Amino acid sequence: MTDIINKLHTTGDLPDSELETLIETEDPAAAELLRKLADRVRRESYGDKVFLRGLIEISSYCKNDCLYCGIRRSNKNAERYRLLPEDILSCADEGYRLGFRTFVMQGGEDSFFTDELLCGLIREIKQRHPDCAVTLSLGERSEESYRLLREAGADRYLLRHEAADEELYRKLHPSEMSLSKRKDCLFTLKRLGYQVGAGFMVGAPFQTTKHIIADLRFLQELQPQMIGIGPFVPHHNTPFAEEKGGTLALTLRLLGILRLMFPKVLLPATTALGTISPTGREQGLKTGCNVVMPNLSPVSVRKKYDLYDNKICTGEEAAECRGCLQRRIEGSGYTIAQERGDAAGFSCAE
Ligand code: SAH
C-alpha cells in the first residue's frame, strides 16, 4: 500500500486497479501516510492558509427532484423560503465585516431568481465589495443565463457533477435530468471563464468503487478549480431515508487522494463532513482541505435549507460561526486567510 501511495504522490495518478485498492483499503497506516502526504502537498501550494467562503442560502424552492435531497420538489413537508435581495445584501455586508472575501449564493433551482434579479444582486455586491469574489451555486441554467451572470461579475460557479457514471446518475436523479446536460453545463461554465467547482457525494446509495473511479477520471478531464466532496447523509423525507450514509474514513481517504491527484485544487472541508463527525472538518483540513464554507444565511431560515438530516450550524449567528471556525482552523494548525482565495496558479482577469 505504501508503494501505491508514494507513486500517487510522485506521479499524481494511478491506474484504475491501484486506485481501487487504495480507495478500498482500511489499513490505518495507509490512512496516516495519505494524510501526511496530502498535508505536505497542500502546504507546498497554499502554506497553512485556509480560505473562507461565506455561504448565503438564497432559496429552498426547487423545481428538481434529486432523490437524495431534502429540498426536492416532491418533499411536501419541506418548508420553503426565499431571501429578499435586501436580505442577501445585508448577509454579504455582515460577512464583509467578519472578514469574508468570497460570497457564495446557493439555492434550489428557483425560477423566482431570474437573470435580471441575479445580475442586479451580483453587480450590487461587487460594487459594495470590489475586493470580493462572487460565487454562484444555483444549479443548471441556460448558456445565455450563465453568460449574463458572468458579465454581471460572477467569478465562480459550483455545480457538483454528482455522479460521472451514467447508470449511477440515473439512480440518483429523476428521469428528466441527465448526466450529459450536467457535464455540458460544467464545460460551458469553464468556457465562459468561470472558476468552476465540481464534485460528488461519498457513499451515495448504489455507489461502488468503480463509480468513484469514474468520478476521479471525469475530474481529471474537467480540471475544475474546486472539488467539493462530502458524505451522503440521508434525509428522512426522501426515497433514500433508510439508506446508509457515507463514512468519515472513506471521505478522508478520498480527500487525501484528491489532494495528491490535484495538488493545486481548492478542496473544502464540507458541512456534511462536520455533520457526520464532530471533528470531521478538522480531520479534512489535516488531510489536504484548504477551504471552509461557513453559513451566512439569516438564522431564521437556516433550518429550512434542509438538504440532509442533522445539518450542523443551523442555530448560530454568522459571527458565532466565524469564531467557532477560527478556533477549529487554528486548533488544527492552520490560519484563516482574509482574501478572495483563488486557486493557486489561476490568474484572475479583473
Ligand atoms: N441546486 C444547486 C445546489 C445543490 S445543494 C445545484 O444543483 O447545484 C449542494 C449540494 O448538496 C449538492 O450538489 C449535493 O451534492 C449536496 N447534497 C444534497 N443532498 C445531500 C444529502 N442528502 N447528503 C449530502 N449531500 C447532499
Side-chain angles (χ1 to χ4, degrees), residues 233-236 241 271-278 281 302-303 305-316:
V233 184
H235 184 288
H236 62 284
T271 306
L273 188 57
T275 295
I276 63 163
S277 158
R281 284 172 300 175
R302 284 198 194 180
K303 283 200 177 21
Y305 196 74
D306 187 25
L307 306 181
Y308 47 81
D309 289 344
N310 307 315
K311 191 170 159 232
I312 52 169
C313 311
T314 55
E316 291 87 7

Side-chain angles (χ1 to χ4, degrees), residues 58 82-86 88-89 105 110-125 138 141 149 152:
I58 67 172
R82 54 174 71 96
L83 296 182
L84 299 170
E86 56 263 37
I88 297 172
L89 293 170
M105 288 192 265
D110 178 1
S111 54
F112 175 85
F113 284 93
T114 58
D115 296 338
E116 202 185 343
L117 177 54
L118 287 169
C119 286
L121 268 170
I122 296 164
R123 283 199 197 92
E124 183 62 27
I125 295 177
L138 301 169
R141 301 177 73 94
L149 300 171

